[in-house]
Amino acid sequence: MQNPIILAIESSCDDTSAAVLRGDRLLSNVIASQKVHEQYGGVVPELASRAHQQNIVPVVDGALKNAGVERGDVDAVAFTRGPGLMGSLMVGVSFAKGYAQGLGVPLLEVNHLQAHVLSHFIRESDDAVVPEFPLVCLLVSGGHTQILLLRSHFDMEVLGQTIDDAAGEAMDKAAKIMDLGYPGGPVIDRLAQEGDPQAFHFATPHIAGNDYSFSGIKTSFLYFLRDRLVEEPDFVERHKADLCASVQECIVGFLVKKLEKAVKESGVKQVAIAGGVSANSLLRRRVEEMGRRRHWKVFVPPMRFCTDNAAMVGIAGYFKYLRGEYADISLPPYAKKEG
């Protein structure tokens, strides 16, 4: 069957999402976000898993209703198996298993990181343009930063990756140091629009090859503020926009520099970004500008596909369905990246 109806479920962190696809065409994508974590400055795993339990049934029902699909029409159920928060994953994995078993349809296990990359292959219209292979993709999320070479949907070679913190972690930690709230990345992006990216300078790590390191940027930012606050207790409040613009410039500049190097070495002209940090306005702009200069064909995901969502799980599941790669019902979730 070339156009199966796939029900997809995503519950790896703090967003409960369900989507319905017919083949590679997206019919619906419903997301329930969890506001409860804002007061804690980060995701509280126990609260996240409880919220998933409350949200998953109405989210799945909403996705089916919006798609105009009945339960009996579903040909397979795709689910995020990992990586992610174990308690959150358990809710989605258990629900997917029960749903698929009740309908007597196959299960399709999906790697969360691969799903982010494959979101570029979701079609929402007949004239949608999707990448060709080979493709170089910069995957940037809260917990992962990698440069990948794709030769096919599931043939992904790591060209470079972070050796410690990820880019999203560095953004969030910088925001937390400045007490900007959670999630910090979008707040920094918004405030940076009003600041001078050259107001302050933070050292960029010198890492061999195409690898990244963001722990040093985070630490240097912390020490920089500590020294300034001794003399000026209101330093952050007075320079908030410039601080955001400067730290964002440092992180994004580092990301793009390594991406450019990796693309040049690969000789590939199809280039994409994916993951939560691909929503950052400066990163999107810099990659598009570089694409024009270097004559790349650049793919920047719609904002709705940057953060965690079930549509990306569904498209990854669809490609697995075509390959006949069905999951055994005994498969457990996994919290960390395999391999």
Side-chain angles (χ1 to χ4, degrees):
M1 185 184 298
Q2 293 300 306
N3 289 301
I5 293 179
I6 308 289
L7 169 65
I9 295 169
E10 155 63 23
S11 69
S12 64
C13 190
D14 61 337
D15 288 324
T16 313
S17 182
V20 178
L21 291 83
R22 178 179 286 112
D24 60 358
R25 177 67 70 87
L26 181 64
L27 303 182
S28 68
N29 188 33
V30 176
I31 303 173
S33 298
Q34 301 175 7
K35 300 295 184 183
V36 67
H37 307 286
E38 293 179 0
Q39 60 184 306
Y40 300 102
V43 177
V44 180
E46 179 62 26
L47 295 178
S49 58
R50 290 183 183 183
H52 283 303
Q53 289 177 321
Q54 295 172 344
N55 292 335
I56 194 161
V57 171
V59 164
V60 169
D61 285 348
L64 291 170
K65 182 178 179 180
N66 292 351
V69 168
E70 299 293 331
R71 282 179 294 177
D73 297 329
V74 173
D75 295 303
V77 179
F79 66 94
T80 299
R81 186 180 167 211
L85 299 175
M86 183 57 74
S88 295
L89 289 166
M90 283 293 294
V91 176
V93 171
S94 298
F95 186 92
K97 288 179 177 180
Y99 210 89
Q101 193 168 38
L103 294 175
V105 299
L107 275 169
L108 305 163
E109 60 125 338
V110 171
N111 177 288
H112 181 79
L113 303 179
Q114 289 183 340
H116 271 301
V117 176
L118 295 177
S119 65
H120 286 285
F121 296 89
I122 299 169
R123 293 183 187 272
E124 296 185 275
S125 64
D126 291 334
D127 58 354
V129 178
V130 299
E132 298 176 356
F133 298 111
L135 169 72
V136 171
C137 182
L138 172 63
L139 173 61
V140 271
S141 68
H144 303 87
T145 301
Q146 294 179 320
I147 303 174
L148 302 167
L149 171 62
L150 280 72
R151 298 185 180 87
S152 68
H153 295 111
F154 296 104
D155 182 357
M156 301 185 187
E157 177 187 350
V158 177
L159 301 180
Q161 60 188 333
T162 182
I163 62 175
D164 43 54
D165 286 357
E169 288 176 314
M171 289 272 198
D172 287 340
K173 288 175 181 176
K176 192 168 186 177
I177 291 168
M178 291 186 284
D179 196 25
L180 298 182
Y182 172 85
V187 180
I188 285 182
D189 192 12
R190 176 174 55 81
L191 292 174
Q193 313 304 316
E194 307 164 13
D196 177 6
Q198 302 304 320
F200 307 104
H201 296 278
F202 306 105
T204 302
H206 295 283
I207 306 298
N210 298 319
D211 287 337
Y212 292 103
S213 169
F214 292 96
S215 63
I217 294 175
K218 173 201 66 179
T219 303
S220 66
F221 183 68
L222 174 62
Y223 288 158
F224 172 85
L225 283 186
R226 183 195 63 182
D227 294 341
R228 298 303 187 282
L229 290 171
V230 170
E231 300 175 0
E232 303 175 58
D234 63 343
F235 182 83
V236 170
E237 190 59 36
R238 292 194 300 109
H239 300 283
K240 190 178 294 182
D242 286 344
L243 287 167
C244 288
S246 298
V247 75
Q248 179 174 258
E249 175 70 27
C250 180
I251 292 171
V252 170
F254 190 29
L255 284 170
V256 173
K257 179 181 178 181
K258 290 287 187 149
L259 174 63
E260 181 181 24
K261 180 177 181 293
V263 172
K264 182 178 180 180
E265 291 174 353
S266 72
V268 172
K269 294 296 184 179
Q270 301 256 331
V271 181
I273 58 175
V277 183
S278 67
N280 180 273
S281 62
L282 180 61
L283 177 60
R284 296 166 77 90
R285 187 167 65 250
R286 288 286 172 81
V287 172
E288 289 175 333
E289 290 170 353
M290 185 168 290
R292 287 191 289 270
R293 292 199 308 270
R294 302 299 187 193
H295 306 291
W296 300 345
K297 188 168 185 179
V298 171
F299 294 87
V300 174
M303 297 293 284
R304 60 189 173 278
F305 296 149
C306 293
T307 52
D308 295 345
N309 65 91
M312 67 184 194
V313 177
I315 193 67
Y318 166 65
F319 292 128
K320 286 205 166 187
Y321 184 94
L322 294 182
R323 292 154 59 107
E325 293 184 9
Y326 304 147
D328 189 273
I329 198 166
S330 66
L331 282 179
Y334 56 91
K336 295 183 179 180
K337 182 175 62 175
E338 292 191 321

